[in-house]
Amino acid sequence: DGDVGSWVRMEAMRGVAAVAEAVAAGASHGAAFPNSAWNEAVAGRAVARIARQALEKIDRVRELATATLFRIVAMDVPCMVWADEFASGVALAGEDASFGVLVPLLLGEPTLCREAMSGLVVSVGDLAQSVAHEASRALLGMARGSDSAAQRVVELLLATLRGHSGDSRVVVPTLKTLDALFAAGVMETQASAAGELLGAVQTELRGSRDVHKLMAGAKVLGSMLMYGRQVAVGALKVLLSFLAHPYAKLRKHTADELYLALNTYEDHMPDDEDEADDLLDLLSDFAWDGDRSAAAAARDPLFEGLGVPKPAPRKVTGGGKAKASSGQAGAAGASAGAAPTGGYADLVRSAGM
């Protein structure tokens, strides 16, 4: 996000504040803006976008957004009925614009929470470690507060995945945020959301050429082996498909993640210890970043040993093109068959190099 984009957003926030001030001033003198120009939907959407910037990764943008948000809610602006109660939280915050204060404040307000979460995940997944650490700590602190708070966080992350589908700038850090929640043990109490989460991740990964997204998704799917068998099999289908993906880097990454996950969640392993050890040895010792055809063939014992149905072979149509059988649906859409056929060039493009 360059300087121009930041400048545009900062000026837009100043513009929203000026409009809100004019609306409030007019209302105090009995005047009113046209309903099409300022109504509850417009006001809510505009202020929610500012809330998103208040949790984003760029310091100067975040500082202006917080000051602007606090200023607007302090005004008596028509069409912002939610602002009265929210203003009490702002008053308690005072001049404190830290993530620790803003995260529970903004994620707790229904009008602002979805946009706020989409800004927060960008900070959590940021390369600037100081911002990522502070944002992660605030989010984890909220999620650990209670099971209901954790549920709220997961619901907002699901909404972020769905609402920003295809937007890697938001989706990749959202997946990284989910991975952080799994690592912190927050997701252990969220089995009720596992099916929805699996479906959202599968949808986002299906046919993607973005190696960063695919690798972040593989980490989340590996952690989902903690859930029931149905969810675990859905996750394993995608992970095993990644072992034959055109991107060698993804094949190796997936093998490493699967090795760790199966060592952690041993319920999915064969009862026979020698057979289980053989599967782990295969994952750790085979050159998954070598020949792709050899990697695809090497997966066979994993399908059988983990009790995952092997995808039906691709049929060849009259025109000579491969066509997946009708049984290859759902998670298999993220498989090598649905992936790009390029190699190194595709990987470089997807990595932004």
Side-chain angles (χ1 to χ4, degrees), residues 327-343:
Q328 280 185 277
S335 70
T341 55

Side-chain angles (χ1 to χ4, degrees), residues 105-186:
L105 182 63
L106 298 181
L107 297 188
E109 170 49 53
T111 304
L112 309 179
C113 59
R114 291 197 177 195
E115 287 289 345
M117 179 61 88
S118 66
L120 178 60
V121 295
V122 173
S123 291
V124 172
D126 186 32
L127 294 178
Q129 291 301 311
S130 60
V131 172
H133 178 71
E134 187 180 351
S136 297
R137 184 172 58 185
L139 182 60
L140 289 174
M142 176 180 173
R144 286 169 169 159
S146 65
D147 288 349
S148 60
Q151 181 180 355
R152 178 66 173 157
V153 167
V154 173
E155 287 172 350
L156 289 173
L157 288 171
L158 274 169
T160 301
L161 276 180
R162 291 165 175 159
H164 294 270
S165 182
D167 181 359
S168 291
R169 181 180 181 273
V170 177
V171 169
V172 173
T174 300
L175 293 171
K176 291 181 178 180
T177 301
L178 284 164
D179 179 52
L181 292 177
F182 274 110
V186 171

